[in-house]
Amino acid sequence: MPPKQGPGKTRLRLHEFLCQQHETILQKWEELDRETLASAERLTSKDLRNNLPDILVDLAEQSERTPASGRYINFEQKGPQHHAEHRWKLKFSLEEVTREYALLRVIILQLLSPRVGELPQGELVFLNEGLDQAIDESVSTYVAKANSQLQSEQERLRATLTSITDGVISTDTGGHILFLNPAAERISGWTQDEAIGRPVDKVLVTEDETTRKIRDSMASRAMALGEQQSAGGITLHQRSGERVPIEESVAPMRDTNGNDLGAVVTFRDISEVRLLTEELTYLASHDALTSLPNRVLLHDRLAQELAHAERNGTRLALLYLDLDLFKKVNDVLGHGAGDELLRQVAGRLVHCVRRTDTVSRLGGDEFAILLSDVEQESIPGELARKITKRLSDPFVLHNDTVNVSTSIGISLYPEDGRDAETLIKHADTAMYQAKAWGRGGIQFFTREMNRRAVERHELERSLRTALEEEHLSLYYQPQIAPASGQLIGVEALLRWHHPEKGLISPADFIPVAEESGDLMVSIGNWVMENAYTQARAWLDAGHTPVRISVNISIVQLRDDRFTDFLDELLQRFPLPPELFQLELTESVLMSDIAGAADRVRRIKEMGVAIAVDDFGTGYSSLSYLKVLPIDELKIDQSFVHNLHSDVDSAAIVQAVIRMAQSLKRRVIAEGVDSKEAMDFLVENECGGAQGFYLSEPLPAGVFARQYLAGVGQ
C-alpha cells in the first residue's frame, strides 16, 4: 500500500481551495445540474444557484476557524434549509435535490483531486461531513414538509430515499429503525426486513478507528441534544463481520409543530475516497516508471535527515548517479527497452542499500541515494564501488543484452553543505566531474575541481562576449496543423556560433548561463526582445500574424524584473500580446510551483500565452494545470520519436491529446521526425506538430521566404 503523506507536506487548506475555486465550482455545478436534472433547465442562473453560494461560504469559513478535531458544522446562513424550501416551491423532487448535492460533491472532488494529497489530515473528512450535513438538513426539511402532505407524498419520499447512493436510516423516538434505503442495506449488510424494529446501534455498530472502542449511538445523542451530530474516523462492523470506514451524520426529525419524530441517519462508505487519497499522495511523491521516490520526496527526506543529523551530530551522504550510454540504448533499442533498463537499474540499486536509505529517481537516467547516519567516511565510497560493480553486470532487455556503467558523484554533510539544495548541487557537480574523467567513475565533491571549474568559467566568459558581440542568433522552426498543413505558430530557438569552436549546442551553454544567474537573465531578455522584434517585422511586411513562442528559464521566471521587462516590451512594440507565447518546462513549473504561480498569472494578465514545454517529463502531479493558466501543452519529443513502434509512447501521446482537448488546451507534438508519426497525429486529431520531418529550424529570412512569402499580402 502506498505510504501516507509525510510530515511537512501540507500546502493546501480547504478554506483556501473553496474560496479560490468558489466561482469555478458554481459554474461547473450549474452546467452539470442543467445537463442532469430536467427541473433545472428552465431556471435562471440566480434561481439555479439559490443558496449554494451560502453553503460554500459557510464550509470555507468554518474550515478556517474550527480545529480539525471535534468540529461541529453549523450552516449559519441556513443554506441547506432555504435551498430545500426553494426547491420544494419549484416542485423539485427530493431525489433531484439530493442529486444536486451529489453533483456538488462530484465537482468539488474533481477540482480537488489533483491536490487532495496536500490537504491536512481531516480536511477531506470535514468536507464530506459538511456535504453530508447539507443532505441531512435538506432531507429533514423535506421530511417535515412531507409529514404535512398526503400519503402519496410520503411514498414518493420513501422512493426518493431508496434511490440515493448514501445510506439512509430513519428511526422512531426510541431509536428503533423504521426504514433503510437500499444503500444502507448494501453498506451495513442488513436487509430492511431484518433491521426494522431493531435499535439502530445494534445495526450500525461502529468503533473509533484510533481507540478501537465501540461507540455510543449517535442517534440517541442527536435526539437528546436536539441537534445534528457528525463523525468521521469510524469503522462500521458489517453484519458479515467485515469492517469498512464510514462517515456518519445524524439529525433529529420534528414535525411542523416541533414534536420529535425520531432521527435520520446518513452514512457513506469512504473506502474509495481513502484509496484515492493514498494513491494521489503516492503518485505525487513517486516516480511512475520505477516506483522509487521522486525528486519531491527526496527533498523531503533529505530535509528530515539533515535536521536529525544536526540535532545528533551525525553525518550523511548523498550519491548522485547518471547512467553512461543510456542514450545509446534508447536510440538503438527504443524507449521501451530504455524504460525496462531504468526499472532494472532501480531494482539493483534498492538491493545495494540499507532499508533506512533512500533510492530516488530524479528523472531521465539520473538517480540519487541518501545515506543516513554515516559512521565512517569510507562507507559512501564502498557503496559507490558496490553499485558500479553491480550495474556493470549485463542487463537482459527482452531479447537483447546490454552493458552500461554509471558515473557517481558524492557529497557529504556537513563538509560539503548544510542544506538539501547545496548537497544535491555538489553531488551533481562531482558526478559531472566523474563523467568527465571517464565512464564508471566515482568522485567525491571537492573545492579543488579546477579543470571543470575552469572550463565552465571559460565557457561563461565566452558566452558573455558572444552576447556583447552579437554571436548569438535566433532560428525559427514552424509549427504545423497536421490535418491541414497550415502554419499555426513558430518557435524561436537560440543558436551560438562561436568564432573558433563553431556551433555550440544550447544544451552545453544554457546550464552554464543558468548557473551564473544574471547571464541567463540577460540572454533570456535578448531572446525575448529579438523574437518580439522579428514578429513585429513580419507584421510590418504584411504577413498574416503568426504566434511566436520563446523558451523561459526558471532563472528568468524568478527574476524580480522579469514581468516588468515583458510589460516594457508590450509597451514598446504595438504587437498583439496573444501573438507572443512563453514556454516553461514542467520541471520549471514543479520546481517552484508556489513561487511561479503568481508570476505566471501576472504574465497571463498581460495577454501573453503560456505553454508547457516537454510535457510528460515532470516529476510531480498535474495539479499545475488547474493552478496555472496554461494555454498549450507541448508533448515531449521522447514520446513522439517512436510512436509507430512503442505502444506505451503512443498511448501516452493519445492520452495527452485527449486530456488537452477535454481541458480546451492547445496541444503540439514536438520531435516529429517521420511520416508515421505525422500520420498518427492526424489520426488522433492532434492540433499541432513540430519537428525535422516538417522543417529544421531556419534563419529568419529563410523562414519568411518558405513559410510567409506572399501570405497576407
Side-chain angles (χ1 to χ4, degrees):
M1 179 177 293
K4 294 185 177 179
Q5 180 176 354
K9 289 286 291 180
T10 298
R11 295 194 297 274
L12 177 67
R13 293 300 307 274
L14 180 60
H15 68 275
E16 295 173 346
F17 167 81
L18 292 175
C19 291
Q20 293 170 359
Q21 299 291 330
H22 182 87
E23 184 59 25
T24 301
I25 292 171
L26 293 174
Q27 288 178 356
K28 290 184 176 294
W29 174 85
E30 185 175 338
E31 293 173 3
L32 188 58
D33 207 41
R34 292 185 189 279
E35 293 175 2
T36 306
L37 304 181
S39 298
E41 294 179 359
R42 67 183 186 274
L43 298 181
T44 65
S45 178
K46 180 179 180 180
D47 276 342
L48 185 61
R49 293 186 179 188
N50 194 31
N51 294 93
L52 243 61
D54 297 339
I55 295 172
L56 292 177
V57 169
D58 279 345
L59 282 174
E61 290 180 350
Q62 293 195 50
S63 173
E64 180 180 12
R65 67 174 183 250
T66 309
S69 60
R71 283 176 168 168
Y72 171 67
I73 304 168
N74 177 27
F75 289 104
E76 297 176 352
Q77 302 181 69
K78 303 297 183 183
Q81 296 95 318
H82 294 160
H83 187 76
E85 291 169 357
H86 178 267
R87 294 308 198 240
W88 178 273
K89 294 177 182 177
L90 293 176
K91 308 298 185 185
F92 271 54
S93 68
L94 182 55
E95 179 183 1
E96 290 176 319
V97 175
T98 53
R99 280 190 180 180
E100 286 191 309
Y101 286 104
L103 297 177
L104 180 61
R105 192 195 305 271
V106 167
I107 293 299
I108 293 176
L109 290 179
Q110 284 179 348
L111 293 172
L112 184 60
S113 62
R115 299 188 66 189
V116 70
E118 300 177 31
L119 284 175
Q121 184 178 7
E123 293 275 31
L124 191 60
V125 173
F126 177 83
L127 172 63
N128 282 297
E129 287 177 353
L131 294 175
D132 286 345
Q133 182 177 333
I135 294 175
D136 290 343
E137 294 185 11
S138 293
V139 170
S140 297
T141 301
Y142 265 71
V143 168
K145 288 187 174 294
N147 282 327
S148 66
Q149 300 297 318
L150 299 174
Q151 182 65 33
S152 60
E153 289 295 318
Q154 296 176 345
E155 292 300 325
R156 185 170 63 174
L157 172 63
R158 184 180 296 270
T160 299
L161 290 173
T162 63
S163 68
I164 63 177
T165 57
D166 285 355
V168 178
I169 294 177
S170 63
T171 75
D172 60 18
T173 55
H176 296 90
I177 294 176
L178 300 175
F179 168 78
L180 281 81
N181 71 344
E185 293 181 303
R186 173 178 54 80
I187 298 172
S188 70
W190 288 80
T191 66
Q192 185 162 228
D193 290 341
E194 295 168 332
I196 287 179
R198 291 179 178 269
V200 66
D201 57 347
K202 300 301 182 182
V203 173
L204 288 185
V205 180
T206 60
E207 68 176 32
D208 185 281
E209 288 184 340
T210 303
T211 64
R212 298 299 182 188
K213 294 182 178 179
I214 299 299
R215 302 171 66 255
D216 295 333
S217 170
M218 278 211 310
S220 300
R221 188 162 60 252
M223 287 186 288
L225 298 175
E227 59 185 29
Q228 187 261 353
Q229 301 288 306
S230 298
I234 58 177
T235 301
L236 172 66
H237 293 215
Q238 295 178 315
R239 192 175 187 194
S240 64
E242 296 292 325
R243 301 183 181 188
V244 295
I246 66 167
E247 293 171 349
E248 181 183 7
S249 296
V250 183
M253 292 190 298
R254 299 183 180 87
D255 61 20
T256 54
N257 296 319
N259 299 316
D260 291 335
L261 298 175
V264 57
V265 182
T266 62
F267 57 100
R268 56 193 300 268
D269 182 348
I270 60 171
S271 300
E272 292 186 2
V273 173
R274 289 197 173 176
L275 288 175
L276 174 63
T277 300
E278 292 172 351
E279 180 180 358
L280 290 173
T281 301
Y282 182 83
L283 291 175
S285 58
H286 286 76
D287 173 54
L289 179 64
T290 63
S291 297
L292 292 176
N294 62 14
R295 186 182 295 269
V296 174
L297 186 53
L298 174 66
H299 272 265
D300 281 351
R301 292 188 179 176
L302 185 50
Q304 293 173 26
E305 290 297 337
L306 284 169
H308 173 79
E310 184 175 5
R311 286 194 305 269
N312 296 280
T314 56
R315 307 173 73 192
L316 58 83
L318 185 69
L319 280 65
Y320 203 111
L321 292 74
D322 181 88
L323 299 183
D324 304 315
L325 304 177
F326 177 74
K327 184 177 184 300
K328 184 177 179 180
V329 174
N330 266 345
D331 293 343
V332 175
L333 302 180
H335 288 277
D339 289 346
E340 176 59 25
L341 174 60
L342 292 173
R343 282 190 285 265
Q344 291 189 29
V345 167
R348 293 189 187 184
L349 291 177
V350 169
H351 283 92
C352 285
V353 302
R354 303 169 298 181
R355 294 184 62 182
T356 56
D357 300 327
T358 296
V359 179
S360 170
R361 183 186 175 211
L362 303 180
D365 60 345
E366 294 184 341
F367 296 82
I369 299 177
L370 171 60
L371 304 181
S372 58
D373 294 323
V374 176
E375 297 179 355
Q376 299 176 0
E377 188 174 348
S378 61
I379 290 177
E382 292 172 356
L383 174 61
R385 289 188 289 274
K386 178 181 178 181
I387 289 172
T388 55
K389 183 178 184 302
R390 185 71 182 91
L391 295 188
S392 67
D393 293 338
F395 289 86
V396 178
L397 309 177
H398 307 300
N399 296 323
D400 298 292
T401 300
V402 300
N403 291 88
V404 297
S405 58
T406 182
S407 299
I408 303 177
I410 305 172
S411 62
L412 302 173
Y413 168 88
E415 294 92 331
D416 302 327
R418 292 181 172 271
D419 59 82
E421 288 289 348
T422 301
L423 285 173
I424 292 174
K425 177 184 176 182
H426 287 171
D428 184 27
T429 298
M431 182 274 293
Y432 275 107
Q433 187 66 68
K435 188 176 286 289
W437 286 347
R439 294 191 295 269
I442 300 170
Q443 177 64 54
F444 281 83
F445 175 79
T446 65
R447 306 288 177 180
E448 294 78 31
M449 291 178 175
N450 291 328
R451 186 160 70 95
R452 182 168 179 269
V454 168
E455 289 176 353
R456 291 181 71 84
H457 177 73
E458 177 60 27
L459 188 63
E460 179 183 340
R461 188 191 64 79
S462 297
L463 188 53
R464 292 184 186 275
T465 301
L467 182 62
E468 295 171 358
E469 299 182 358
E470 300 185 355
H471 294 160
L472 302 179
S473 61
L474 292 182
Y475 276 47
Y476 299 88
Q477 189 170 39
Q479 298 168 338
I480 305 296
S484 66
Q486 179 182 358
L487 178 69
I488 59 174
V490 58
E491 181 177 0
L493 299 169
L494 181 62
R495 295 292 182 264
W496 178 13
H497 296 270
H498 194 282
E500 298 175 359
K501 299 179 181 179
L503 187 65
I504 299 180
S505 170
D508 294 328
F509 66 82
I510 289 297
V512 175
E514 288 185 323
E515 193 171 286
S516 71
D518 67 304
L519 179 57
M520 187 69 251
V521 172
S522 298
I523 292 175
N525 290 348
W526 182 92
V527 171
M528 289 171 57
E529 183 169 359
N530 281 267
Y532 210 102
T533 303
Q534 184 61 67
R536 180 67 257 175
W538 284 335
L539 274 184
D540 292 341
H543 299 307
T544 298
V546 58
R547 183 179 63 254
I548 189 166
S549 298
V550 173
N551 290 284
I552 298 299
S553 163
I554 184 62
V555 177
Q556 290 174 265
L557 194 63
R558 286 174 173 167
D559 182 49
D560 292 337
R561 300 161 294 178
F562 178 75
T563 53
D564 291 337
F565 180 79
L566 179 59
D567 187 52
E568 180 185 342
L569 283 181
L570 294 171
Q571 298 299 325
R572 285 169 52 195
F573 300 94
L575 181 70
E578 64 270 15
L579 297 183
F580 198 58
Q581 177 169 274
L582 302 182
E583 295 187 9
L584 298 92
T585 64
E586 278 191 300
S587 58
V588 167
L589 293 173
M590 299 315 300
S591 64
D592 188 30
I593 186 65
D598 291 341
R599 197 150 294 178
V600 170
R601 291 193 190 96
R602 174 74 181 96
I603 295 169
K604 185 62 179 175
E605 288 171 0
M606 298 179 187
V608 177
I610 302 293
V612 180
D613 197 14
D614 301 337
F615 185 78
T617 61
Y619 306 126
S620 192
S621 70
L622 298 179
S623 60
Y624 64 87
L625 291 180
K626 288 292 184 184
V627 176
L628 300 178
I630 304 300
D631 298 283
E632 180 177 281
L633 305 180
K634 299 191 71 177
I635 305 173
D636 185 66
Q637 59 184 346
S638 64
F639 301 115
V640 179
H641 280 320
N642 298 313
L643 280 174
H644 60 288
S645 60
D646 188 341
V647 176
D648 292 337
S649 292
I652 291 172
V653 172
Q654 285 177 324
V656 173
I657 292 172
R658 297 294 173 264
M659 180 179 67
Q661 291 170 343
S662 65
L663 293 174
K664 295 181 173 55
R665 306 288 201 273
R666 295 191 303 269
V667 60
I668 289 182
E670 297 183 288
V672 178
D673 56 8
S674 67
K675 183 178 184 301
E676 290 83 359
M678 196 66 173
D679 291 342
F680 179 93
L681 298 176
V682 172
E683 180 181 350
N684 285 275
E685 301 178 347
C686 184
Q690 177 181 347
F692 280 19
Y693 176 76
L694 300 167
S695 173
E696 296 182 355
L698 303 170
V702 178
F703 179 86
R705 288 194 296 273
Q706 292 190 13
Y707 289 95
L708 301 178
V711 178
Q713 299 182 5

